[in-house]
Amino acid sequence: MDKPSFIPYNRLQFDEEKMTQRSYEFYQNLNLRRSVRDFSNQDVPKEVIEKIIMTAASAPSGAHKQPWTFCAVSNPFIKSEIKKAAEKEEYESYHNRMSDEWLDALKPIGTNWEKPFLEIAPWLIIVFKKAYDLDENGSRQKNYYVNESVGIACGFLISAIHQAGLVTLTHTPSPMNFLQKILDRPENERPYLVLPVGYPSEDAKVPDFERKGAEEVIRWY
Ligand code: IYR
């Protein structure tokens, strides 16, 4: 067993007034985020995508196992392969797999099986969760709370995309094992989420939604 090694924690420090202001400003900023489905094909520098991904990779994870791989795809051929395969599954889902109740719930969002953003957005980030790790000898090392860890990392990722002035949406083709094949990922990596990243199109529209207020989502004890 490794002996734990500790270093001083470099904290951010503010007085209560500053803390109140910063918490409010951060809320206002993130509350402007929307899932956008209408993308421009304008390019986004690779360096920005790298920083966004490294923000995601700074998330906490079970036993600090960092059980994730982020595939950043700008190659038009691979994007088109992903679109083709995703639409094949989505067509089947929208026509034969999803319940009427589910399709009704999606009506206000206006989604269907067609996913043009998978080709139009300059980048696709495909997040993979590592069910387990493989050490140098090829033996399996357990990861912990993988879904929670990767979910938190995706929250960081979505926030970083918004902070950069870009947009995304969480696309969840189902089933999505085709991504493992197209991207040639090893057996221990399972696709978790597809995030197209780019600028919104000039005429991008989003559903006229309101978010639940504090009195609906918080219970104080
Ligand atoms: N995976 C499908 C369906 C879908 C499901 C939910 I829940 C959404 O909030 C949106 C879409 C799709 O991506 O269209």
Side-chain angles (χ1 to χ4, degrees):
M1 223 12 133
D2 289 343
K3 209 160 115 294
S5 162
F6 288 89
I7 53 171
Y9 171 59
N10 264 328
R11 63 170 295 187
L12 286 175
Q13 196 161 4
F14 313 106
D15 59 32
E16 271 189 17
E17 191 188 336
K18 190 86 189 150
M19 183 189 289
T20 307
Q21 183 199 345
R22 285 176 61 98
S23 63
Y24 185 53
E25 284 175 359
F26 194 61
Y27 160 55
Q28 283 186 308
N29 176 357
L30 273 197
N31 199 31
L32 289 173
R33 185 208 56 79
R34 296 299 309 261
S35 292
V36 171
R37 292 180 165 75
D38 306 324
F39 282 81
S40 146
N41 63 2
Q42 189 184 339
D43 203 10
V44 169
K46 185 177 175 185
E47 192 190 346
V48 173
I49 299 300
E50 183 178 315
K51 295 296 177 286
I52 285 167
I53 292 175
M54 292 317 290
T55 303
S58 75
S61 62
H64 191 52
K65 294 292 185 179
Q66 307 171 82
W68 42 59
T69 300
F70 301 88
C71 294
V73 178
S74 63
N75 179 310
F77 175 75
I78 302 175
K79 286 198 297 181
S80 146
E81 288 293 290
I82 290 174
K83 175 176 181 279
K84 242 187 286 168
E87 285 186 335
K88 187 161 170 264
E89 293 297 354
E90 292 294 272
Y91 185 91
E92 197 49 34
S93 293
Y94 276 85
H95 287 88
N96 298 315
R97 293 197 280 238
M98 290 155 77
S99 66
D100 288 343
E101 187 182 359
W102 192 354
L103 292 170
D104 270 352
L106 289 180
K107 272 194 187 133
I109 309 178
T111 57
N112 63 30
W113 64 273
E114 291 175 291
K115 304 296 170 191
F117 51 76
L118 293 175
E119 268 175 350
I120 299 171
W123 290 95
L124 303 179
I125 300 178
I126 297 93
V127 183
F128 285 82
K129 65 177 181 185
K130 288 180 159 181
Y132 52 88
D133 271 320
L134 291 168
D135 67 14
E136 323 67 87
N137 311 317
S139 50
R140 291 182 180 204
Q141 304 288 315
K142 231 179 125 32
N143 287 332
Y144 304 92
Y145 296 100
V146 170
N147 280 315
E148 291 83 349
S149 303
V150 181
I152 294 166
C154 286
F156 277 38
L157 185 63
I158 292 164
S159 306
I161 291 166
H162 175 71
Q163 177 66 18
L166 299 169
V167 295
T168 188
L169 72 122
T170 49
H171 176 47
T172 50
S174 173
M176 55 178 162
N177 30 9
F178 65 86
L179 291 162
Q180 204 173 7
K181 228 180 264 158
I182 292 175
L183 298 169
D184 197 24
R185 300 313 305 160
E187 206 288 313
N188 62 325
E189 294 188 14
R190 316 279 156 78
Y192 185 84
L193 214 52
V194 179
L195 295 122
V197 183
Y199 295 91
S201 68
E202 293 272 333
D203 56 352
K205 298 228 174 1
V206 293
D208 186 9
F209 283 163
E210 278 184 19
R211 293 190 165 117
K212 291 180 180 175
E215 69 297 340
E216 272 188 284
V217 301
I218 309 176
R219 294 289 175 269
W220 301 102
Y221 292 90

